[in-house]
Amino acid sequence: MRQLKTYLMEAVVLLGLVGLFEYRYAKAEDKLQVPDARRSVSATAGDFDGDKNLDVIVATTYNQNRPKDGTKYGSLYFLRGDGKGNLEKPYLIAEVEGASKGIAITSGDLDNDGDLDLIVVAADYSKPDADVSIWINDGKGNFTLKTEEPK
């Protein structure tokens, strides 16, 4: 059977502050892939490492490297942007407990220090409510789970 060549959008490059976009296409076999994306995938974009280039963080569910006790984890992957429309290969930056049903991610400067932090919502089949977690950015793209109780 003859294989059809398919093309996909590899990246969207922000051109200036006016919101114009340039699309780059690549062969399907050259695409970036994020591991452990079995049930749910969500992404957010921003300058997470302070280099003025657009980066992407992808949240996925069903991490195969979960502990033996059966806890279902979600995973957060960092894809560093080079400012020319390219993203580096993704690498794991954190695991999120209780995300067997779904996961969503967004970003904002929650601690008013000038860098983008992460808000992650994880849903698990074992409970009716979703958990919201805050991941604080150190400005270099390293994230720490905020553990203090809400006021």
Side-chain angles (χ1 to χ4, degrees), residues 49-114:
D49 57 5
D51 65 357
K52 308 283 189 233
N53 297 327
L54 192 64
D55 308 307
V56 176
I57 295 182
V58 177
T60 67
T61 59
Y62 193 77
N63 188 326
Q64 293 188 23
N65 299 319
R66 63 185 177 274
K68 292 181 181 175
D69 67 4
T71 304
K72 303 287 193 246
Y73 281 92
S75 302
L76 302 181
Y77 289 94
F78 193 107
L79 292 85
R80 192 176 311 277
D82 68 359
K84 299 175 186 173
N86 302 304
L87 296 171
E88 292 180 6
K89 206 171 177 183
Y91 63 91
L92 182 69
I93 58 171
E95 291 181 331
V96 180
E97 189 175 340
S100 66
K101 189 174 184 180
I103 194 163
I105 188 170
T106 191
S107 57
D109 186 5
L110 299 174
D111 56 0
N112 292 316
D113 64 353

Side-chain angles (χ1 to χ4, degrees), residues 4-73:
L4 296 175
K5 286 189 177 182
T6 60
Y7 292 90
L8 58 102
M9 182 171 51
E10 180 186 82
V12 178
V13 181
L14 185 63
L15 298 176
L17 300 175
V18 295
L20 299 174
F21 291 96
E22 171 189 335
Y23 296 94
R24 250 181 28 135
Y25 293 90
K27 294 179 182 175
E29 59 268 16
D30 295 334
K31 67 185 173 185
L32 287 172
Q33 293 183 333
V34 177
D36 299 326
R38 303 286 167 103
R39 297 192 188 275
S40 175
V41 178
S42 181
T44 186
D47 179 14
F48 296 106
D49 57 5
D51 65 357
K52 308 283 189 233
N53 297 327
L54 192 64
D55 308 307
V56 176
I57 295 182
V58 177
T60 67
T61 59
Y62 193 77
N63 188 326
Q64 293 188 23
N65 299 319
R66 63 185 177 274
K68 292 181 181 175
D69 67 4
T71 304
K72 303 287 193 246
Y73 281 92

